Amino acid sequence: MNTSTLIAPPALVRRAEKHDTKAVQALDSAHFIHPFTDHGDLATRGSRVITHAENIYVWDSEGHKILDAMSGLWCVNAGYGRKELADAAYQQMMTLPFYNTFFQTTNVPAVQLATKLAALAPEVGGRKFEHVFFSSSGSESNDTNVRMVRRYWDLLGQPQRKVIISRNNAYHGSTMAGASLGGMSGMHAQGDLPIPGIEHIEQPYHFENALPGESEADFGLRAARWLDEKILSIGANKVAAFIAEPVQGAGGVIIPPSTYWPEIQRIVDKHGILLISDEVICAFGRLGHWFAYEKFGMRPDLVTFAKGVTSGYIPLGGVMVGDRVARVLIDKGGEFNHGYTYSGHPVACAVALANIELMEREKLVERVKDDTGPYLAECFEELRHHPLVGTAQACGFVAGLLLVKNKATNEQFDPDLGVGMMCRAHCFRHGLIMRAVGERMIIAPPLVMTRTQIDEMMVLIRTCLDATVDELRAAGQL
Ligand code: PXG
């Protein structure tokens, strides 16, 4: 195939320029294996080609403007088109594009970022985060967590403590350890996962897992106690850690009852096991705090981050290492035989610093906490009156709603109908990106979204819900 029409020198590619969509799709299908994609399907339908973006909008190769209510993939917290971040990358590339941080070497942006993150991570219950381990993604960071947690207990003379407990429907990444820690049955079914030493308990999803008439508060306590039961059934002296997302993201924005986290904390403290808060989605302002553990009163020992730390402009992830673990690794551990070529990558760290500076200057975290976040929550409350919506909730700048067949009885749709995907297709048609997880429709907008833009998004959401109702009625399903 002649690729000359596609690969124009960057300076010649104008933003509004129309691309040869069919040609891009053909090459895409011929050469690019995508994540989480059915390639037979992709070949028939052709991929959606996103060409440029600004603020909260992306454009496709056909010139359609789309409101991106998913921030790319839960990450473009500062919004698109931020020159400060591009400048930071350019400057750093011209100064020092790469040097490794192995073998007693460091670089200035990595040191500055580690220092900044240590200052941003709040101390809770006397637990401080003074150290950071860098990676390039959330998945790698959770692999690091497994290595670190096991090393910690080995160094303390308890090598039998190996089991890490996680939850069904959790998402912790797609590497061998990440996918094993996650609780996605579709992922476990491919590649003989989970790896040994990982166990799962049920998620705190009131709608699906509560007993008839059980209050949110009672359910939260009962769900937390599943952890206690699991620890006892394994044997407390064999359990190393519990890992969880403060709010489950990829699982469908599952917001736990307020009683859940305090009870989990009591249980991990009682058994002396480590707590890992996976904040790949929840940190960097997503829930109105720099780190989400603060919001829920959790006292984690390790905190996974990625995505929002650079607003997705460049890959970077890491683990905030609390003093409890850091002191053992540093004081007793000697060399920790673990690291990635790009741990502390100077360009990624420089972009993260610029991103944090921008977020501070524009008070994005405070805005989500005190203004736009509560407003989004109000708007989602109102959505509950829509005939197709069973539940709707927001927490900071993540929100989810459940599409139900019958509001009065909470009767659910047959999953084979694919009502979530039907609704998602209407969203694309109307210029809105919303994610479908089964019958849950979820959003995580850029934190720069204003109240007026929230209104604009809510009009689109209602239009798409109405269009879904019409399609279901026409098919005799409502
Ligand atoms: N932990 C959490 C809580 C995540 O949400 C990861 C770890 C892995 O991060 P990396 O950078 O390795 O992808 C994630 C990633 C979705 C979706 O469909 C969510 C994620 C990634 C891809 C798709 O919602 N979250």
Side-chain angles (χ1 to χ4, degrees):
M1 174 165 304
N2 179 3
T3 57
S4 59
T5 53
L6 295 174
I7 306 167
L12 297 181
V13 177
R14 301 266 178 280
R15 289 189 150 192
E17 188 175 296
K18 265 208 147 192
H19 295 253
D20 184 345
T21 305
K22 287 261 176 299
V24 177
Q25 287 172 332
L27 287 174
D28 180 61
S29 172
H31 300 296
F32 183 6
I33 298 184
H34 290 246
F36 287 89
T37 296
D38 175 337
H39 286 79
D41 197 30
L42 187 80
T44 343
R45 282 203 262 169
S47 42
R48 183 172 296 103
V49 184
I50 301 298
T51 54
H52 62 282
E54 188 65 41
N55 186 235
I56 64 163
Y57 305 98
V58 299
W59 280 260
D60 70 14
S61 53
E62 297 294 283
H64 299 119
K65 179 183 175 185
I66 311 168
L67 191 159
D68 180 11
M70 275 308 297
S71 304
L73 200 50
W74 319 82
C75 55
V76 187
N77 290 10
Y80 296 97
R82 305 311 302 255
K83 188 169 179 302
E84 300 92 320
L85 305 194
D87 286 345
Y90 177 80
Q91 290 299 336
Q92 187 56 45
M93 281 188 185
M94 295 308 290
T95 312
L96 179 71
F98 176 75
Y99 201 78
N100 75 72
T101 55
F102 290 47
F103 322 127
Q104 268 95 41
T105 310
T106 197
N107 68 70
V108 176
V111 174
Q112 287 176 329
L113 181 60
T115 309
K116 183 70 192 176
L117 292 173
L120 284 177
E123 178 179 337
V124 275
R127 300 191 191 183
K128 284 196 207 157
F129 291 91
E130 283 177 318
H131 293 85
V132 186
F133 188 94
F134 289 118
S135 72
S136 301
S137 69
S139 302
E140 284 179 353
S141 304
N142 281 328
D143 277 47
T144 295
N145 278 328
V146 174
R147 299 283 313 273
M148 231 180 232
V149 161
R150 291 184 171 172
R151 177 92 181 125
Y152 169 83
W153 287 114
D154 283 350
L155 288 167
L156 287 183
Q158 299 190 50
Q160 80 290 348
R161 279 207 194 242
K162 285 282 149 47
V163 178
I164 301 182
I165 302 176
S166 178
R167 303 180 299 183
N168 294 340
N169 200 32
Y171 191 84
H172 296 298
S174 200
T175 49
M176 293 294 280
S180 297
L181 291 169
M184 302 286 178
S185 51
M187 291 174 81
H188 290 174
Q190 298 177 359
D192 301 329
L193 301 178
I195 55 171
I198 312 262
E199 300 274 343
H200 294 84
I201 58 171
E202 195 44 88
Q203 60 178 335
Y205 183 20
H206 183 266
F207 188 87
E208 272 192 359
N209 300 317
L211 301 169
E214 189 175 28
S215 71
E216 284 259 347
D218 288 348
F219 170 69
L221 291 175
R222 193 166 63 83
R225 289 172 191 156
W226 292 329
L227 176 61
D228 201 31
E229 288 162 21
K230 190 69 164 180
I231 293 170
L232 293 173
S233 78
I234 296 166
N237 66 340
K238 295 202 180 76
V239 179
F242 177 60
I243 182 168
E245 303 151 86
V247 168
Q248 283 154 267
V253 181
I254 313 292
I255 304 167
S258 60
T259 49
Y260 182 74
W261 277 115
E263 184 63 3
I264 289 281
Q265 188 66 58
R266 188 187 69 75
I267 292 164
V268 295
D269 286 348
K270 180 177 88 170
H271 295 292
I273 69 173
L274 296 169
L275 177 62
I276 309 168
S277 182
D278 183 344
E279 306 202 358
V280 166
I281 286 176
C282 294
F284 296 98
R286 180 60 56 203
L287 302 189
H289 294 259
W290 286 101
F291 289 96
Y293 65 83
E294 185 186 29
K295 179 178 175 75
F296 293 104
M298 300 159 69
R299 295 191 297 279
D301 299 292
L302 297 161
V303 180
T304 322
F305 64 88
K307 296 189 188 272
V309 64
T310 57
S311 282
Y313 277 57
I314 197 161
L316 179 68
V319 177
M320 298 300 300
V321 185
D323 286 358
R324 177 180 172 193
V325 174
R327 289 275 51 97
V328 172
L329 283 183
I330 294 166
D331 298 344
K332 297 182 191 261
E335 184 167 331
F336 182 35
N337 298 325
H338 174 67
Y340 309 107
T341 299
Y342 300 126
S343 287
H345 192 289
V347 179
C349 292
V351 172
L353 282 164
N355 178 55
I356 292 168
E357 198 179 300
L358 179 159
M359 290 179 67
E360 285 181 329
R361 196 171 57 244
E362 297 184 2
K363 299 199 178 345
L364 293 183
V365 181
E366 292 84 345
R367 245 167 77 175
V368 169
K369 181 163 183 268
D370 301 325
D371 179 21
T372 47
Y375 183 57
L376 180 68
E378 270 171 44
C379 294
F380 260 66
E381 285 272 336
E382 279 169 31
L383 270 187
R384 290 188 192 173
H385 302 298
H386 190 278
L388 202 55
V389 175
T391 64
Q393 264 181 315
C395 180
F397 253 30
V398 293
L401 59 87
L402 179 70
L403 305 173
V404 292
K405 193 172 167 80
N406 185 328
K407 273 176 91 81
T409 61
N410 275 340
E411 185 191 348
Q412 303 225 42
F413 287 105
D414 176 351
D416 290 342
L417 261 181
V419 176
M421 293 309 274
M422 191 185 285
C423 182
R424 194 183 82 128
H426 285 294
C427 292
F428 272 117
R429 232 167 271 139
H430 287 89
L432 171 69
I433 294 174
M434 235 182 154
R435 220 156 107 32
V437 178
E439 280 69 51
R440 287 186 68 78
M441 300 303 298
I442 60 179
I443 57 162
L447 311 187
V448 288
M449 183 178 262
T450 62
R451 279 178 175 246
T452 312
Q453 289 173 328
I454 292 176
D455 291 341
E456 179 189 333
M457 174 178 73
M458 295 312 295
V459 169
L460 286 171
I461 291 177
R462 283 178 183 281
T463 306
C464 299
L465 289 171
D466 291 346
T468 309
V469 169
D470 291 346
E471 185 176 348
L472 285 166
R473 286 207 176 118
Q477 297 292 343
L478 265 185

